[in-house]
Structure formats: C-alpha cells, structure tokens
Amino acid sequence: MSSSLPPVSTQTPPSLPPAIAKPKKQPYPFYLGGVAATIAASITHPLDLTKVRLQASGDKRMVDSIKKTVRTAGFRGLFDGITGTWMRQMSYSLCRFWAYDESKKLLGANPQSPPWVLAAAGVMAGSIAGVVGNPGEVVMVRLQGDFAKPPEKRFNYKHCFDALFRMVREEGPSSLLRGVGPNVFRSILMNSSQLASYDFFKAELLKTKYFEDNIACHFTASFAAGTVATTVCSPADVLKSRIMNASGPGSSSTLGVIRASLAKEGPMFMFKGWVPAWTRLQPTTILIFLTLEQLKNAVDWKRGTL
C-alpha cells in the first residue's frame, strides 16, 4: 500500500530580512544651551539692566528706573553692558546646560525621574557653572550698573574684555572671584529650580491628554519654571548684585552686606526688584527653552532624525 503523504521538502525556507535596528540618538552639541541663552538674553537685556540697577542703586520702581536710563543715556542706554551679557551667557549658561545634561547621565535621570533627582543634577551643574561663569558675571553686573552711579564712581569700561583686563590689572586676579560665594549659591538655586522644574513640568504635561511635545507644551513648562526660579533665586540675586557692584575695601563681605541691608531696609530687601526680576526672567526662561527646543529640532532635521 503506497503512502499518500506528500514528500518532505529538504529545502531551507528563505530567511526573513534582519530587523533594522533604530540608530541610537546622538547627543546634541554641548554649546546649544549657551547659544539659546545668548539669544534670549540679548532680547531681554533692557529688563535685566533695570533689575540690576534697582538692586544696586536707590531707584524704587521699575518704570522710573527705565525712564531715568532713557533720560540720561537715550534708548541705547537700555543696552548698556550688552557685551558683558554675551560673555556671561557664553560662559555661565553654556557651562550650566552642558553640566546639567552630564549630571543627569551620571545620576541616571530620565524624564520620569522624581523631582529630587532632577534637582540634584541641577545642584551639581550650578556648582560648576557658578565658578566658571563668575568672571563674566562680575563683568556683566559692573557694565550694567555703571551708569546708575555718580560720574566720579563709574568704572567706565569700554566693553567686556576691557573690563576683564582692567580688573586683573587694577584689582588683581582675585577680583574675578568677587562674590563667588553668593554667585555659586544663586547658580545652584537657579539650576535646581529653573532647569529641573522645566524638565519636571514638561514631563508632567506630556502625561496629560492636552499636551504633546510641541511649542505649547514648551511654553507652559517654561512659564512655570520661570516663576519658580524667580522666587527661589531672589535673595541670592540681590546679594550677588550688591557685592559685585561694590568697589571699596571690605565691601565684598557677604555678612557685611547682609547686616547693612537689614539695618537700612529690613528683611524684605532680599526680594527687592522681584517684579522686574520676574518680568525679565519669565520671558528669558521662555525664550531660552523655546529657542533650545527649536535648535534641537534643527539639529535633528540636519541629521535626518526629526
């Protein structure tokens, strides 16, 4: 009796094509944060200038301070010290964004990490950037605050490099570290509040059904981050401006500035200039993160990964 079963094929079935592995996303250029911050700070420079002059001088109100600047120096006066702002952003801000990303990698942080992990990365970044960016910070504050002083007390720096060289020549290299303590403290507060809260708010918004990873989400997250950062950083910001803008011997003592300010103005001096600080930091924060996200999109587009 013959079998009705078909003959067994010995031919090997064709193999399926191997799955194409998705290429690992390359890190973004380290300088994107500095470029984004420089663009944002250039736009909001007049508000930052007004904030510094309110903190370092006897001006009482933001509008009065702006009018005084325009009256004494014209509209160009609203951009006094812009080169110091550029120097500060391309040192401090470049460093803080780079250090924040590296700190998150070191801590194994991701968009779903708890806030304290993101804040810890911000503390690490702020500690580094506060020291690296201190010379630029001193130069920026002095250039911005110069025209608020009587003519005989002005530094009369021509630009940021003139300020840097003259400070080293006339006051010694240690002048570049003037106010480094409050500046590092403020940098820690800023990065642990602004950068960490932006990541936190962005991640929380993306969990809802109302937001996608687009400009609306970036705007909302950065608005919340700017308000948090302004409130957290105000005391250290005031102290930093007053110490860096001082020029007399012994005038750079943090405790001395605190005692003198408390005796003269009371504890609320720590929040002097909060409104212009918020008015300046809010659009700056929004512009920084919107610009940074668009720069990242541009890099992705160029790489073909958008």
Side-chain angles (χ1 to χ4, degrees):
M1 184 176 178
S2 61
S3 173
S4 60
L5 294 175
V8 179
S9 174
T10 59
Q11 186 178 2
T12 305
S15 59
L16 295 174
I20 300 175
K22 189 175 181 180
K24 186 178 179 181
K25 199 167 187 179
Q26 300 177 26
Y28 292 104
F30 72 95
Y31 55 80
L32 286 190
V35 173
T38 301
I39 294 171
S42 298
I43 296 171
T44 60
H45 181 79
L47 294 174
D48 195 32
L49 179 74
T50 302
K51 180 207 69 170
V52 169
R53 290 181 175 178
L54 276 172
Q55 292 174 346
S57 70
D59 295 340
K60 301 297 182 183
R61 297 173 56 198
M62 179 177 64
V63 175
D64 291 340
S65 182
I66 292 174
K67 288 180 179 178
K68 179 181 176 182
T69 298
V70 173
R71 186 173 63 251
T72 57
F75 283 100
R76 285 188 60 185
L78 294 175
F79 290 90
D80 284 341
I82 188 69
T83 60
T85 296
W86 294 337
M87 174 179 280
R88 188 247 188 181
Q89 298 301 338
M90 288 307 293
S91 55
Y92 166 72
S93 288
L94 188 151
C95 182
R96 75 186 180 111
F97 277 97
W98 167 80
Y100 180 63
D101 287 339
E102 293 301 315
S103 298
K104 286 194 294 184
K105 293 177 188 176
L106 187 63
L107 297 175
N110 59 62
Q112 308 305 322
S113 297
W116 69 266
V117 176
L118 298 173
V123 169
M124 294 168 66
S127 302
I128 299 169
V131 176
V132 172
N134 199 78
E137 194 86 24
V138 179
V139 168
M140 182 191 72
V141 169
R142 289 193 173 191
L143 284 171
Q144 290 180 354
D146 217 25
F147 279 93
K149 297 179 177 181
E152 67 276 7
K153 293 185 178 181
R154 293 176 185 172
F155 295 109
N156 293 317
Y157 299 134
K158 297 176 183 177
H159 46 69
C160 62
F161 296 110
D162 179 52
L164 202 66
F165 297 146
R166 279 184 53 191
M167 283 174 60
V168 173
R169 186 173 65 248
E170 297 170 7
E171 304 175 49
S174 62
S175 64
L176 300 179
L177 294 178
R178 180 182 284 270
V180 67
N183 190 42
V184 170
F185 181 56
R186 178 190 176 277
S187 178
I188 289 172
L189 294 177
M190 174 60 73
N191 288 280
S192 61
S193 58
Q194 187 192 56
L195 300 186
S197 62
Y198 175 77
D199 278 353
F200 171 75
F201 287 124
K202 180 181 174 182
E204 291 300 308
L205 290 171
L206 291 175
K207 291 178 184 177
T208 70
K209 61 181 181 180
Y210 304 106
F211 289 93
E212 297 179 358
D213 193 359
N214 54 24
I215 289 180
C217 175
H218 305 156
F219 177 89
T220 306
S222 58
F223 186 92
T227 302
V228 171
T230 303
T231 305
V232 170
C233 295
S234 183
D237 205 20
V238 173
L239 286 174
K240 178 208 69 170
S241 293
R242 294 191 176 193
I243 291 172
M244 288 182 175
N245 214 38
S247 58
S251 59
S252 61
S253 166
T254 302
L255 289 178
V257 170
I258 292 175
R259 289 195 192 100
S261 299
L262 281 173
K264 187 176 180 181
E265 304 168 65
M268 288 307 293
F269 87 91
M270 292 185 292
F271 294 94
K272 187 176 183 182
W274 188 94
V275 172
W278 181 86
T279 306
R280 190 273 309 177
L281 187 60
Q282 195 65 281
T284 299
T285 302
I286 293 170
L287 285 170
I288 284 174
F289 288 113
L290 290 184
T291 305
L292 181 59
E293 296 283 4
Q294 293 307 307
L295 289 174
K296 288 180 177 180
N297 286 340
V299 171
D300 288 338
W301 174 81
K302 185 177 180 181
R303 292 172 176 173
T305 58
L306 184 62

